[in-house]
C-alpha cells in the first residue's frame, strides 16, 4: 500500500488546533490515496461528527473529502485525512453542545439568584427557572451526554409492563471519535457542581423561611440529581476499565510514533483510545 | 423520560435524540387523552413533559391578579404545583401499595396527562367569566367543569384500572376521583379579582 505523506500529519506531535475549528489545523501533505483499503462506516454513524464541506477541499489537502460529503451511501473514513485528524485532536469537538450543557444550568442558577433584580414577579421568575431547568434536563440527558462523553441512559417498558432502566457507555471503535479530556472535565464538573448549588439554595430558602421558593428548588434538585445519578450509573458500568484506559492510551502513543503502516490495518487496534 | 424507541444493544451510535420525536410523542399522548381508546401508548413510553406543561398552564391561569406585588399570586401558584405533584405522587404510592403493577413514572404520566380536560375547562371558565356574573354564568361553568371532570376520570381509569387486581379497583380509583375533584373545585371557585 502506498504510504502517503499525509500520514506524517498523524505521526507528528499533537498540534494545538483552534478550538471548534474542525476543518483546519493540519497543513502540508498531499492528497491521500482514495483507493487504498480503509474502514467503511455507514453514513448514519457519521452524524455525530461535523460534515465536511467539499468547497474547502483542494487537491493538496486530501480529496477523499468528495466521498465524505455524500450522505446517502456508505462513506469511507480516511484516517490520513487532515481535517479528520484535526477534529480528533481538537480539545473540544462539540463546542455547541459544551456551551449548551453549561448555559441552561448556569442561567437557571443566575435567574434564581438574581430574580429580585430582574423582575418583582414571583411567577415570572418561577416559570423561567423551571423552563430553563427543563431544557437543561432534556439537553443533558439526550444530547450533551451522548456527544461529549458517549454515555446514555433511558427507561424502557417491555411487553409485560415491567420497567427497565438502561445505562450504556459507548464502546470506542476506530470509527468513532472518543471523548476528549476537556469535554469530559467540563461535562462532569457541570454535572456535579450545579446540584450542589441547588442543595445550598434548598437550605437557604428553608432557613430563611422563603417557603414559596421551596417547590422550585426541590424541582431543580430532582431534575439535576436525576441526570447526575443516571450518568454516574452509566460510568460505573465501565469502571473496571480504568486500567485498560491507561494501557490503551499509552499503547496508542507508542503506535503513532513507531508504526505508520499500521494505520491501514482494518482492525486499527492501535487507535483504541479512552475506552469507557 | 422514557424512550421506547431507543436503539438498545447498539452503544456504538450515541447520536443525540431528536427533539421533534419527543414533541410528537407528547402531542400524541394529548390526543390519546382526548380520545381515550384502549391503547398502551400512554403507559409504554411515558414522559412527564405533558404533565409539566399542563401544571404550569393550570397554575398560571389560576392566579388571582393582585395589586400588591408582594403577594402577586405567589402562594396560589406554588400551591397548584404542590397539589398536583404531591397529589399525583400520593395516588401512585397508594396504587403501588395496593399491589398494582404499574411503575411509578407511568402512573405519574397518566395522572398528569389526564389533567388536560380540566385545563380546557379552566380556559372555558375564564372566557365565561368575562361575561357578566350571575347564576347563569355559574351554571354554565358548573356544567362545563362537571363534564370535564367526568372526562378526566374516565380517561385515567381507562389506563390505570387495568393495572390493579380486580377486587381493588375501587380502592385505587377513589383517590383519583378525589384528586380531580380538588382540581375541579379550584377551577370552579376561581374568580379573578
Amino acid at each position: 500500500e502506498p504510504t502517503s505523506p499525509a500520514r506524517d500529519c498523524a505521526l507528528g506531535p499533537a498540534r494545538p488546533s483552534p478550538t471548534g475549528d474542525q476543518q483546519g489545523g493540519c497543513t502540508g501533505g498531499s492528497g491521500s490515496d482514495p483507493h487504498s483499503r480503509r474502514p467503511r462506516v455507514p453514513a448514519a454513524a457519521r452524524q455525530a461528527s461535523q460534515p465536511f464541506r467539499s468547497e474547502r477541499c483542494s487537491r493538496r489537502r486530501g480529496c477523499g473529502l468528495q466521498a465524505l460529503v455524500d450522505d446517502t451511501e456508505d462513506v469511507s473514513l480516511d484516517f490520513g485525512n487532515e481535517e479528520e485528524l484535526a477534529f480528533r485532536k481538537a480539545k473540544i469537538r462539540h463546542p455547541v453542545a459544551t456551551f449548551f450543557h453549561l448555559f441552561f444550568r448556569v442561567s437557571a442558577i443566575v435567574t434564581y439568584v438574581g430574580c429580585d433584580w430582574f423582575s418583582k414577579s414571583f411567577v415570572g421568575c418561577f416559570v423561567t427557572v423551571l423552563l430553563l431547568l427543563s431544557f437543561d434536563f432534556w439537553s443533558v440527558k439526550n444530547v450533551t451526554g451522548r456527544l461529549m462523553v458517549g454515555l446514555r441512559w433511558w427507561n424502557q417498558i417491555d411487553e409485560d409492563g415491567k420497567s427497565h432502566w438502561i445505562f450504556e457507555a459507548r464502546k470506542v471503535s476506530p470509527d468513532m471519535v472518543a471523548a476528549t479530556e476537556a469535554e469530559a472535565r467540563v461535562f462532569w464538573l457541570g454535572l456535579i457542581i450545579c446540584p450542589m448549588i441547588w442543595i445550598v439554595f434548598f437550605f437557604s430558602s428553608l432557613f430563611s423561611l422563603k417557603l414559596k421558593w421551596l417547590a422550585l428548588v426541590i424541582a431543580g434538585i430532582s431534575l439535576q440529581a436525576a441526570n447526575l445519578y443516571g450518568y454516574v450509573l452509566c460510568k460505573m458500568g465501565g469502571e473496571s476499565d480504568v486500567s485498560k484506559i491507561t494501557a490503551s492510551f499509552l499503547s496508542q502513543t507508542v503506535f503513532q510514533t513507531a508504526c505508520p503502516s499500521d494505520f491501514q490495518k482494518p482492525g486499527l487496534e492501535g487507535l483504541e483510545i479512552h475506552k469507557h | 423520560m422514557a424512550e421506547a424507541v431507543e436503539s438498545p444493544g447498539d452503544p456504538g451510535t450515541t447520536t443525540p435524540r431528536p427533539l421533534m420525536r419527543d414533541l410528537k410523542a407528547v402531542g400524541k399522548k394529548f390526543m390519546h387523552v382526548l380520545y381515550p381508546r384502549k391503547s398502551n401508548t400512554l403507559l409504554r413510553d411515558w414522559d412527564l413533559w405533558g404533565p409539566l406543561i399542563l401544571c404550569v398552564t393550570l397554575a398560571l391561569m389560576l392566579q388571582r391578579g393582585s395589586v400588591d406585588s408582594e403577594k402577586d399570586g405567589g402562594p396560589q401558584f406554588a400551591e397548584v404545583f404542590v397539589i398536583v405533584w404531591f397529589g399525583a405522587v400520593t395516588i401512585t404510592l397508594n396504587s403501588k401499595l395496593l399491589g398494582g403493577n404499574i411503575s411509578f413514572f407511568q402512573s405519574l404520566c397518566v395522572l398528569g396527562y389526564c389533567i388536560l380536560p380540566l385545563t380546557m375547562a379552566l380556559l372555558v371558565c375564564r372566557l365565561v367569566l368575562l361575561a357578566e356574573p350571575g347564576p347563569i354564568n355559574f351554571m354554565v361553568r358548573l356544567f362545563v367543569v362537571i363534564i370535564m371532570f367526568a372526562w378526566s376520570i374516565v380517561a385515567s381509569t381507562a389506563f390505570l384500572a387495568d393495572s390493579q387486581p380486580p377486587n381493588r379497583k375501587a380502592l385505587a380509583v377513589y383517590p383519583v376521583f378525589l384528586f380531580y375533584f380538588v382540581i375541579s373545585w379550584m377551577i370552579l371557585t376561581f374568580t379573578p379579582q
Side-chain angles (χ1 to χ4, degrees):
Chain A
E1 287 162 296
T3 51
S4 156
R7 302 284 177 267
D8 294 335
C9 193
L11 304 178
R15 240 169 286 233
S17 317
T19 309
D21 178 1
Q22 289 142 359
Q23 291 164 359
C26 217
T27 58
S30 60
S32 40
D33 187 339
H35 299 301
S36 57
R37 242 179 345 126
R38 59 181 67 93
R40 307 191 70 81
V41 72
R46 300 244 328 137
Q47 281 167 19
S49 43
Q50 301 284 336
F52 295 103
R53 313 213 67 81
S54 58
E55 302 84 82
R56 302 269 215 111
C57 166
S58 69
R59 207 66 226 159
R60 278 182 20 91
R61 286 167 138 266
C63 266
L65 279 176
Q66 296 290 1
L68 293 178
V69 174
D70 189 349
D71 272 341
T72 58
E73 60 190 29
D74 285 356
V75 297
S76 62
L77 269 185
D78 180 4
F79 280 104
N81 182 279
E82 292 90 344
E83 280 80 354
E84 178 77 15
L85 286 162
F87 177 74
R88 282 171 169 272
K89 288 190 193 305
K91 286 173 82 76
I92 296 186
R93 295 200 185 109
H94 307 280
V96 179
T98 312
F99 170 73
F100 277 109
H101 175 78
L102 293 177
F103 172 70
F104 288 131
R105 326 198 122 214
V106 170
S107 39
I109 290 178
V110 165
T111 312
Y112 177 78
V113 169
C115 66
D116 284 333
W117 298 309
F118 293 152
S119 99
K120 294 221 179 324
S121 156
F122 165 79
V123 170
C125 183
F126 191 107
V127 171
T128 310
V129 175
L130 194 62
L131 276 178
L132 287 169
L133 287 170
S134 317
F135 293 161
D136 162 72
F137 178 87
W138 188 89
S139 60
V140 169
K141 178 172 181 294
N142 291 308
V143 176
T144 66
R146 294 166 192 214
L147 288 180
M148 288 168 78
V149 288
L151 303 171
R152 64 181 182 175
W153 59 280
W154 72 95
N155 176 275
Q156 202 158 301
I157 316 260
D158 61 16
E159 306 292 334
D160 313 326
K162 289 166 66 85
S163 107
H164 302 276
W165 290 93
I166 306 190
F167 306 92
E168 284 182 351
R170 180 175 62 195
K171 291 204 227 331
V172 180
S173 65
D175 302 340
M176 293 290 158
V177 291
T180 58
E181 280 151 42
E183 278 183 344
R185 207 174 303 140
V186 166
F187 180 80
W188 288 106
L189 280 181
L191 207 63
I192 293 175
I193 291 184
C194 289
M196 300 202 312
I197 297 183
W198 281 103
I199 293 181
V200 168
F201 289 157
F202 174 78
F203 286 114
S204 85
S205 80
L206 192 64
F207 293 141
S208 64
L209 294 179
K210 290 206 214 136
L211 295 178
K212 65 182 181 176
W213 291 105
L214 218 54
L216 182 62
V217 175
I218 291 178
I221 293 180
S222 22
L223 287 173
Q224 312 233 310
N227 256 328
L228 176 62
Y229 184 63
Y231 279 116
V232 163
L233 285 184
C234 287
K235 192 86 180 147
M236 272 168 34
E239 186 181 54
S240 58
D241 284 333
V242 169
S243 55
K244 284 188 195 162
I245 293 174
T246 333
S248 60
F249 180 69
L250 289 174
S251 68
Q252 178 218 348
T253 324
V254 167
F255 274 131
Q256 267 190 332
T257 48
C259 310
S261 59
D262 283 347
F263 272 115
Q264 287 296 28
K265 288 206 179 97
L268 290 171
E269 293 91 349
L271 275 185
E272 268 170 33
I273 42 181
H274 303 311
K275 203 189 285 208
H276 285 287
Chain B
M1 310 302 169
E3 298 112 1
V5 200
E6 203 64 65
S7 49
D10 189 8
T13 56
T14 48
T15 49
R17 186 176 166 80
L19 178 63
M20 286 315 297
R21 183 159 65 172
D22 277 338
L23 290 177
K24 283 199 200 135
V26 171
K28 211 161 79 154
K29 288 201 212 19
F30 279 135
M31 287 296 123
H32 273 270
V33 171
L34 289 179
Y35 307 109
R37 266 168 282 145
K38 241 355 173 170
S39 98
N40 272 346
T41 312
L42 231 70
L43 288 183
R44 287 288 305 277
D45 29 339
W46 57 269
D47 70 69
L48 294 180
W49 298 115
L52 183 70
I53 295 172
L54 287 174
C55 192
V56 171
T57 314
L58 208 64
L60 279 175
M61 289 201 290
L62 276 176
Q63 279 188 87
R64 277 156 230 279
S66 167
V67 197
D68 190 347
S69 68
E70 260 288 308
K71 309 166 43 141
D72 60 338
Q76 291 92 342
F77 187 87
E79 263 172 26
V80 174
F81 256 90
V82 168
I83 287 177
V84 168
W85 287 103
F86 188 68
V89 166
T90 310
I91 297 177
T92 308
L93 281 178
N94 173 69
S95 71
K96 285 200 82 84
L97 287 172
L98 282 175
N101 69 341
I102 193 172
S103 94
F104 182 77
F105 289 107
Q106 280 176 308
S107 171
L108 282 185
C109 168
V110 169
L111 290 168
Y113 270 101
C114 290
I115 296 180
L116 179 65
L118 287 170
T119 311
M120 295 185 337
L122 179 56
L123 268 168
V124 172
C125 281
R126 284 216 81 154
L127 290 174
V128 168
L129 279 168
L130 293 174
E132 19 118 352
I136 311 251
N137 198 301
F138 178 74
M139 296 305 290
V140 169
R141 283 187 291 132
L142 179 68
F143 179 70
V144 167
V145 168
I146 288 182
I147 299 276
M148 293 303 185
F149 166 69
W151 196 342
S152 284
I153 299 272
V154 165
S156 60
T157 49
F159 295 113
L160 286 180
D162 285 345
S163 64
Q164 294 294 333
N167 54 341
R168 301 267 169 85
K169 282 208 203 311
L171 275 176
V173 167
Y174 171 69
V176 177
F177 180 90
L178 206 57
F179 176 66
Y180 289 125
F181 180 76
V182 167
I183 299 183
S184 315
W185 185 261
M186 283 198 301
I187 293 174
L188 191 58
T189 57
F190 169 74
T191 48
Q193 295 303 26

